[in-house]
């Protein structure tokens, strides 16, 4: 199995989910006591969040690029940025290493297309919903992307940073998210992309009238697929 490099800590709540998912998918594929080969570089999210707010994306990109180089030096064969928002600097990270970057939006778009859907609602941070870097990647894959109205975007963003990134899960926030999802469906969305890895801590299949696309889960599954590519099902591994 190839070694998966994770740029995490943004927030660690969702990075912990990545670690669990990678190991679950690996065990399901290989059986027995198998677990994922992975290396995690966990950043201080407070530092990254300040750079986001200040619009200092170039500085943030250099921090993530340095993390990717460290993962490559530690033996990683591929690298994941364990957050949707920081894919704004994915090109910088990709250029910093010789190993492939598995882009989260690509894994998500592949899953949506495989389901036969094209029109999707996108939930995430304000950066992910409002800026072009993520929506353009989805649209280039043939998807039609809808986002909440201004009030809905503000609500979704606030809950992410003030609650979910701190491990706080509130029933009233779940109800509020359900209303945002219902509005997107009324506007024509056939499915909903949970485009922030923390949202999966709050929203599950029972919270939406249409299919959900949980990006952390999809990203982790794609990473295990890539890490096991070429490995025979009966290969017991090292």
């Amino acid at each position: 199995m190839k070694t998966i490099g994770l740029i995490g800590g943004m927030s660690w709540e969702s990075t912990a989910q990545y670690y669990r998912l990678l190991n679950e998918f690996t065990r399901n594929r290989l059986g027995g006591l198998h677990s994922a080969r992975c290396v995690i570089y966990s950043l201080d999210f407070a530092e990254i969040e300040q750079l986001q707010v200040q619009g200092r994306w170039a500085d943030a990109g250099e921090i993530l690029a340095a993390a990717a180089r460290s993962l490559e030096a530690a033996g990683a064969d591929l690298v994941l940025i364990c957050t949707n928002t920081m894919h704004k600097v994915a090109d910088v990270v990709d250029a910093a290493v010789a190993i492939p970057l598995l882009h989260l939006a690509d894994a998500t778009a592949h899953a949506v297309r495989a389901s036969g859907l094209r029109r999707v609602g996108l939930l995430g941070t304000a950066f992910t919903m409002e800026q072009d870097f993520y929506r353009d990647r989805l649209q280039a894959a043939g998807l039609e992307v809808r986002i909440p109205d201004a009030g809905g975007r503000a609500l979704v963003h606030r809950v992410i940073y003030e609650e979910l990134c701190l491990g706080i899960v509130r029933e009233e926030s779940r109800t509020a998210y359900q209303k945002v999802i219902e509005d997107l469906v009324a506007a024509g969305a056939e499915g909903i992309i949970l485009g922030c890895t923390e949202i999966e801590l709050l929203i599950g299949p029972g919270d939406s009238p249409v299919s959900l696309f949980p990006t952390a889960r999809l990203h982790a599954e794609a990473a295990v697929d890539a890490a096991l590519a070429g490995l025979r099902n009966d290969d017991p591994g090292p």
Side-chain angles (χ1 to χ4, degrees):
M1 182 177 186
K2 296 175 183 176
T3 300
I4 303 166
L6 307 174
I7 304 176
M10 301 170 288
S11 67
W12 70 259
E13 293 283 350
S14 64
T15 303
Q17 296 297 312
Y18 264 88
Y19 183 70
R20 178 181 59 81
L21 289 165
L22 289 171
N23 285 292
E24 286 182 356
F25 286 130
T26 301
R27 182 185 61 201
N28 291 343
R29 287 281 297 274
L30 299 180
L33 296 177
H34 281 287
S35 54
R37 289 182 176 270
C38 59
V39 184
I40 303 175
Y41 193 113
S42 190
L43 295 166
D44 180 0
F45 190 35
E47 178 182 1
I48 300 299
E49 189 269 343
Q50 283 300 303
L51 296 176
Q52 291 175 344
V53 171
Q54 295 165 8
R56 295 169 56 190
W57 295 101
D59 292 337
E62 285 306 312
I63 292 172
L64 268 67
R69 286 190 290 267
S70 294
L71 291 169
E72 184 176 31
D77 298 300
L78 65 154
V79 62
L80 279 60
I81 302 172
C82 300
T83 159
N84 288 271
T85 297
M86 293 313 297
H87 277 73
K88 183 174 174 69
V89 300
D91 289 347
V92 175
V93 175
D94 192 25
V97 291
I99 58 177
L101 170 71
L102 184 59
H103 200 291
L104 200 162
D106 293 346
T108 301
H110 177 77
V112 175
R113 289 178 59 88
S115 75
L117 303 183
R118 290 295 181 271
R119 294 191 303 275
V120 290
L122 174 63
L123 303 182
T125 67
F127 309 110
T128 299
M129 291 185 289
E130 296 174 357
Q131 297 184 19
D132 293 336
F133 70 93
Y134 197 86
R135 289 185 289 114
D136 283 356
R137 191 95 176 193
L138 297 173
Q139 289 165 351
L143 303 183
E144 183 181 332
V145 181
R146 290 168 166 76
I147 61 174
D149 61 20
R153 296 196 303 273
L155 166 76
V156 170
H157 182 89
R158 181 192 62 76
V159 170
I160 290 169
Y161 280 92
E162 296 182 9
E163 298 177 19
L164 301 179
C165 286
L166 299 174
I168 299 169
V169 177
R170 292 190 170 126
E171 190 60 36
E172 55 266 37
S173 295
R174 179 177 291 110
T175 300
Y177 266 53
Q178 289 172 329
K179 177 61 167 63
V180 173
I181 290 171
E182 289 170 2
D183 289 345
L184 286 170
V185 172
E190 302 168 320
I192 302 295
I193 293 175
L194 305 183
C196 173
T197 52
E198 283 81 15
I199 295 177
E200 291 160 61
L201 301 172
L202 180 68
I203 295 296
D207 299 311
S208 171
V210 296
S211 297
L212 296 176
F213 296 91
T215 54
R217 173 172 288 273
L218 295 172
H219 203 198
E221 187 171 18
V224 170
D225 287 343
L228 293 177
L231 186 67
R232 301 193 312 273
N233 288 337
D234 60 346
D235 190 334

